[in-house]
Short mmCIF file of all heavy atoms in Angstrom, two decimals:
data_model
loop_
_atom_site.label_atom_id
_atom_site.label_comp_id
_atom_site.label_asym_id
_atom_site.label_seq_id
_atom_site.Cartn_x
_atom_site.Cartn_y
_atom_site.Cartn_z
N MET A 342 34.36 30.25 -69.54
CA MET A 342 34.82 29.93 -68.20
C MET A 342 34.91 31.22 -67.41
O MET A 342 35.44 32.21 -67.86
CB MET A 342 36.19 29.25 -68.29
CG MET A 342 36.75 28.89 -66.95
SD MET A 342 38.36 28.08 -67.06
CE MET A 342 37.87 26.43 -67.41
N SER A 343 34.40 31.23 -66.21
CA SER A 343 34.39 32.43 -65.39
C SER A 343 35.79 32.74 -64.87
O SER A 343 36.66 31.89 -64.83
CB SER A 343 33.44 32.26 -64.21
OG SER A 343 34.00 31.35 -63.29
N ASN A 344 35.99 34.00 -64.46
CA ASN A 344 37.26 34.39 -63.86
C ASN A 344 37.55 33.56 -62.62
O ASN A 344 38.68 33.23 -62.34
CB ASN A 344 37.25 35.87 -63.50
CG ASN A 344 37.77 36.72 -64.62
OD1 ASN A 344 38.32 36.20 -65.60
ND2 ASN A 344 37.59 38.02 -64.50
N GLU A 345 36.50 33.24 -61.87
CA GLU A 345 36.67 32.46 -60.65
C GLU A 345 37.29 31.10 -60.98
O GLU A 345 38.21 30.65 -60.33
CB GLU A 345 35.32 32.27 -59.96
CG GLU A 345 35.44 31.58 -58.63
CD GLU A 345 34.12 31.54 -57.92
OE1 GLU A 345 33.32 30.64 -58.22
OE2 GLU A 345 33.88 32.41 -57.08
N LEU A 346 36.84 30.45 -62.04
CA LEU A 346 37.39 29.15 -62.41
C LEU A 346 38.79 29.30 -62.97
O LEU A 346 39.64 28.44 -62.75
CB LEU A 346 36.48 28.45 -63.41
CG LEU A 346 35.13 28.01 -62.85
CD1 LEU A 346 34.32 27.31 -63.92
CD2 LEU A 346 35.29 27.11 -61.65
N LYS A 347 39.08 30.37 -63.70
CA LYS A 347 40.44 30.58 -64.21
C LYS A 347 41.39 30.77 -63.04
O LYS A 347 42.50 30.26 -63.06
CB LYS A 347 40.47 31.80 -65.14
CG LYS A 347 39.86 31.52 -66.48
CD LYS A 347 39.93 32.76 -67.36
CE LYS A 347 39.17 32.51 -68.65
NZ LYS A 347 39.06 33.73 -69.44
N GLN A 348 41.01 31.52 -62.02
CA GLN A 348 41.85 31.70 -60.84
C GLN A 348 42.08 30.37 -60.16
O GLN A 348 43.17 30.07 -59.72
CB GLN A 348 41.20 32.67 -59.87
CG GLN A 348 41.25 34.11 -60.33
CD GLN A 348 40.51 35.02 -59.38
OE1 GLN A 348 39.78 34.57 -58.49
NE2 GLN A 348 40.68 36.30 -59.57
N PHE A 349 41.06 29.56 -60.10
CA PHE A 349 41.19 28.24 -59.50
C PHE A 349 42.28 27.44 -60.20
O PHE A 349 43.18 26.93 -59.58
CB PHE A 349 39.86 27.49 -59.58
CG PHE A 349 39.99 26.03 -59.27
CD1 PHE A 349 40.03 25.59 -57.97
CD2 PHE A 349 40.11 25.11 -60.28
CE1 PHE A 349 40.17 24.26 -57.67
CE2 PHE A 349 40.25 23.77 -60.00
CZ PHE A 349 40.28 23.36 -58.69
N ASN A 350 42.22 27.36 -61.51
CA ASN A 350 43.18 26.56 -62.25
C ASN A 350 44.61 27.05 -62.06
O ASN A 350 45.51 26.27 -61.84
CB ASN A 350 42.83 26.54 -63.74
CG ASN A 350 41.61 25.69 -64.01
OD1 ASN A 350 41.32 24.78 -63.25
ND2 ASN A 350 40.91 25.99 -65.08
N ARG A 351 44.82 28.34 -62.14
CA ARG A 351 46.16 28.90 -62.05
C ARG A 351 46.71 28.80 -60.65
O ARG A 351 47.83 28.39 -60.44
CB ARG A 351 46.12 30.36 -62.52
CG ARG A 351 47.45 31.04 -62.49
CD ARG A 351 47.41 32.37 -63.19
NE ARG A 351 46.27 33.18 -62.84
CZ ARG A 351 46.21 34.03 -61.82
NH1 ARG A 351 47.25 34.18 -61.04
NH2 ARG A 351 45.14 34.73 -61.57
N ARG A 352 45.94 29.15 -59.67
CA ARG A 352 46.44 29.25 -58.30
C ARG A 352 46.42 27.93 -57.56
O ARG A 352 47.40 27.53 -56.96
CB ARG A 352 45.66 30.30 -57.54
CG ARG A 352 45.95 31.67 -58.07
CD ARG A 352 45.19 32.70 -57.30
NE ARG A 352 45.51 34.02 -57.84
CZ ARG A 352 44.71 35.05 -57.77
NH1 ARG A 352 43.55 34.94 -57.17
NH2 ARG A 352 45.06 36.20 -58.27
N THR A 353 45.29 27.25 -57.56
CA THR A 353 45.22 26.04 -56.75
C THR A 353 45.94 24.87 -57.40
O THR A 353 46.40 23.99 -56.70
CB THR A 353 43.77 25.64 -56.44
OG1 THR A 353 43.08 25.47 -57.65
CG2 THR A 353 43.11 26.66 -55.57
N LEU A 354 46.09 24.88 -58.71
CA LEU A 354 46.85 23.82 -59.34
C LEU A 354 48.30 23.88 -58.89
O LEU A 354 48.89 22.87 -58.54
CB LEU A 354 46.76 23.93 -60.87
CG LEU A 354 47.50 22.83 -61.63
CD1 LEU A 354 46.98 21.46 -61.24
CD2 LEU A 354 47.35 23.03 -63.10
N LEU A 355 48.87 25.07 -58.83
CA LEU A 355 50.23 25.22 -58.35
C LEU A 355 50.33 24.73 -56.91
O LEU A 355 51.24 23.99 -56.57
CB LEU A 355 50.67 26.68 -58.43
CG LEU A 355 52.04 27.00 -57.81
CD1 LEU A 355 53.13 26.21 -58.50
CD2 LEU A 355 52.33 28.47 -57.87
N ALA A 356 49.39 25.12 -56.10
CA ALA A 356 49.42 24.71 -54.70
C ALA A 356 49.30 23.20 -54.58
O ALA A 356 50.05 22.56 -53.86
CB ALA A 356 48.31 25.39 -53.92
N GLY A 357 48.35 22.61 -55.31
CA GLY A 357 48.15 21.17 -55.25
C GLY A 357 49.34 20.39 -55.77
O GLY A 357 49.73 19.39 -55.21
N ALA A 358 49.94 20.87 -56.84
CA ALA A 358 51.09 20.18 -57.41
C ALA A 358 52.28 20.27 -56.47
O ALA A 358 53.03 19.31 -56.32
CB ALA A 358 51.44 20.79 -58.76
N ALA A 359 52.45 21.40 -55.82
CA ALA A 359 53.57 21.56 -54.91
C ALA A 359 53.44 20.66 -53.70
O ALA A 359 54.42 20.14 -53.19
CB ALA A 359 53.70 23.01 -54.48
N VAL A 360 52.24 20.45 -53.25
CA VAL A 360 52.03 19.57 -52.11
C VAL A 360 52.37 18.15 -52.50
O VAL A 360 52.87 17.37 -51.72
CB VAL A 360 50.57 19.67 -51.60
CG1 VAL A 360 50.26 18.56 -50.61
CG2 VAL A 360 50.37 21.01 -50.93
N GLY A 361 52.15 17.79 -53.76
CA GLY A 361 52.48 16.47 -54.24
C GLY A 361 51.53 15.41 -53.72
O GLY A 361 51.88 14.25 -53.63
N ALA A 362 50.35 15.77 -53.39
CA ALA A 362 49.38 14.83 -52.87
C ALA A 362 48.28 14.63 -53.90
O ALA A 362 48.26 15.28 -54.91
CB ALA A 362 48.78 15.37 -51.58
N GLY A 363 47.37 13.75 -53.56
CA GLY A 363 46.20 13.60 -54.41
C GLY A 363 45.36 14.82 -54.23
O GLY A 363 44.40 14.81 -53.50
N ALA A 364 45.80 15.88 -54.89
CA ALA A 364 45.27 17.17 -54.57
C ALA A 364 44.03 17.48 -55.30
O ALA A 364 44.01 17.47 -56.51
CB ALA A 364 46.31 18.22 -54.92
N LEU A 365 43.06 17.77 -54.56
CA LEU A 365 41.78 18.16 -55.12
C LEU A 365 41.40 19.47 -54.47
O LEU A 365 41.20 19.54 -53.26
CB LEU A 365 40.72 17.09 -54.81
CG LEU A 365 41.03 15.71 -55.36
CD1 LEU A 365 40.04 14.70 -54.80
CD2 LEU A 365 40.97 15.71 -56.86
N ALA A 366 41.30 20.51 -55.25
CA ALA A 366 41.01 21.82 -54.67
C ALA A 366 39.53 21.97 -54.39
O ALA A 366 38.70 21.51 -55.15
CB ALA A 366 41.49 22.92 -55.59
N LEU A 367 39.21 22.65 -53.32
CA LEU A 367 37.82 22.80 -52.92
C LEU A 367 37.29 24.22 -53.08
O LEU A 367 36.12 24.39 -53.31
CB LEU A 367 37.67 22.40 -51.45
CG LEU A 367 37.82 20.93 -51.18
CD1 LEU A 367 37.85 20.68 -49.68
CD2 LEU A 367 36.68 20.15 -51.80
N ARG A 368 38.10 25.23 -52.89
CA ARG A 368 37.57 26.60 -52.89
C ARG A 368 38.08 27.35 -54.10
O ARG A 368 39.14 27.97 -54.06
CB ARG A 368 37.98 27.33 -51.62
CG ARG A 368 37.29 26.79 -50.40
CD ARG A 368 37.43 27.69 -49.22
NE ARG A 368 38.83 27.77 -48.80
CZ ARG A 368 39.24 28.54 -47.81
NH1 ARG A 368 38.40 29.29 -47.16
NH2 ARG A 368 40.49 28.56 -47.48
N PRO A 369 37.33 27.38 -55.20
CA PRO A 369 37.78 28.09 -56.38
C PRO A 369 38.00 29.57 -56.14
O PRO A 369 38.76 30.19 -56.83
CB PRO A 369 36.64 27.89 -57.39
CG PRO A 369 35.78 26.83 -56.86
CD PRO A 369 36.06 26.72 -55.40
N SER A 370 37.35 30.16 -55.17
CA SER A 370 37.49 31.59 -54.95
C SER A 370 38.65 31.94 -54.02
O SER A 370 38.95 33.10 -53.81
CB SER A 370 36.20 32.16 -54.36
OG SER A 370 35.94 31.55 -53.11
N ALA A 371 39.31 30.93 -53.47
CA ALA A 371 40.40 31.20 -52.54
C ALA A 371 41.58 31.82 -53.28
O ALA A 371 41.97 31.37 -54.34
CB ALA A 371 40.84 29.91 -51.86
N ALA A 372 42.16 32.85 -52.71
CA ALA A 372 43.33 33.50 -53.30
C ALA A 372 44.58 32.90 -52.69
O ALA A 372 44.72 32.83 -51.48
CB ALA A 372 43.27 35.00 -53.04
N PHE A 373 45.49 32.46 -53.52
CA PHE A 373 46.73 31.89 -53.04
C PHE A 373 47.89 32.83 -53.33
O PHE A 373 48.90 32.45 -53.88
CB PHE A 373 46.96 30.50 -53.67
CG PHE A 373 46.04 29.47 -53.15
CD1 PHE A 373 44.99 29.02 -53.91
CD2 PHE A 373 46.19 28.98 -51.87
CE1 PHE A 373 44.11 28.08 -53.41
CE2 PHE A 373 45.31 28.03 -51.37
CZ PHE A 373 44.28 27.59 -52.14
N ALA A 374 47.73 34.09 -52.97
CA ALA A 374 48.80 35.04 -53.10
C ALA A 374 49.88 34.71 -52.07
O ALA A 374 49.62 34.03 -51.08
CB ALA A 374 48.27 36.45 -52.89
N VAL A 375 51.08 35.20 -52.30
CA VAL A 375 52.18 34.97 -51.38
C VAL A 375 51.80 35.44 -49.98
O VAL A 375 51.14 36.46 -49.81
CB VAL A 375 53.44 35.70 -51.89
CG1 VAL A 375 54.56 35.62 -50.88
CG2 VAL A 375 53.87 35.12 -53.22
N GLY A 376 52.22 34.67 -48.98
CA GLY A 376 51.97 35.04 -47.60
C GLY A 376 50.67 34.50 -47.02
O GLY A 376 50.31 34.84 -45.90
N GLN A 377 49.97 33.65 -47.74
CA GLN A 377 48.72 33.08 -47.27
C GLN A 377 48.99 31.75 -46.55
O GLN A 377 50.07 31.20 -46.61
CB GLN A 377 47.76 32.83 -48.43
CG GLN A 377 47.43 34.06 -49.23
CD GLN A 377 46.67 35.08 -48.42
OE1 GLN A 377 45.69 34.75 -47.78
NE2 GLN A 377 47.15 36.31 -48.43
N THR A 378 47.98 31.24 -45.89
CA THR A 378 48.04 29.90 -45.31
C THR A 378 47.02 29.04 -46.04
O THR A 378 45.85 29.39 -46.14
CB THR A 378 47.71 29.93 -43.81
OG1 THR A 378 48.70 30.73 -43.14
CG2 THR A 378 47.72 28.53 -43.22
N VAL A 379 47.49 27.93 -46.59
CA VAL A 379 46.66 26.99 -47.32
C VAL A 379 46.26 25.88 -46.36
O VAL A 379 47.11 25.28 -45.71
CB VAL A 379 47.43 26.40 -48.52
CG1 VAL A 379 46.63 25.33 -49.22
CG2 VAL A 379 47.84 27.50 -49.48
N THR A 380 44.96 25.61 -46.24
CA THR A 380 44.49 24.56 -45.36
C THR A 380 44.36 23.27 -46.15
O THR A 380 43.60 23.19 -47.12
CB THR A 380 43.14 24.94 -44.72
OG1 THR A 380 43.34 26.15 -43.97
CG2 THR A 380 42.65 23.85 -43.79
N LEU A 381 45.13 22.26 -45.75
CA LEU A 381 45.18 20.97 -46.41
C LEU A 381 44.47 19.94 -45.55
O LEU A 381 44.89 19.67 -44.42
CB LEU A 381 46.62 20.53 -46.65
CG LEU A 381 46.85 19.09 -47.08
CD1 LEU A 381 46.26 18.83 -48.46
CD2 LEU A 381 48.33 18.75 -47.05
N ALA A 382 43.38 19.37 -46.08
CA ALA A 382 42.69 18.27 -45.41
C ALA A 382 43.39 16.99 -45.85
O ALA A 382 43.52 16.72 -47.04
CB ALA A 382 41.22 18.23 -45.83
N ASP A 383 43.86 16.21 -44.91
CA ASP A 383 44.68 15.05 -45.24
C ASP A 383 44.16 13.80 -44.54
O ASP A 383 43.68 13.87 -43.41
CB ASP A 383 46.12 15.31 -44.80
CG ASP A 383 47.06 14.19 -45.17
OD1 ASP A 383 47.19 13.89 -46.37
OD2 ASP A 383 47.67 13.60 -44.26
N ILE A 384 44.26 12.66 -45.22
CA ILE A 384 43.81 11.40 -44.64
C ILE A 384 44.85 10.78 -43.72
O ILE A 384 44.65 9.71 -43.19
CB ILE A 384 43.40 10.39 -45.73
CG1 ILE A 384 44.58 10.07 -46.64
CG2 ILE A 384 42.20 10.89 -46.50
CD1 ILE A 384 44.35 8.91 -47.59
#
């Protein structure tokens, strides 16, 4: 598994779980370090 996919699992899973939505992450390369803005597409 590439580093990019490992970052995806660690970072976006936390973000998706915190949102509590049917969270499906789209950008594996996105960094979710503190102080960022996460763009949530919502129905």
Side-chain angles (χ1 to χ4, degrees):
M342 179 180 278
S343 71
N344 269 349
E345 185 174 84
L346 292 181
K347 285 180 186 173
Q348 287 176 349
F349 167 82
N350 287 335
R351 181 169 45 88
R352 292 180 179 154
T353 58
L354 181 59
L355 174 61
V360 168
L365 300 170
L367 290 172
R368 291 193 294 178
S370 61
F373 289 106
V375 173
Q377 302 295 310
T378 298
V379 175
T380 300
L381 168 66
D383 183 60
I384 60 170

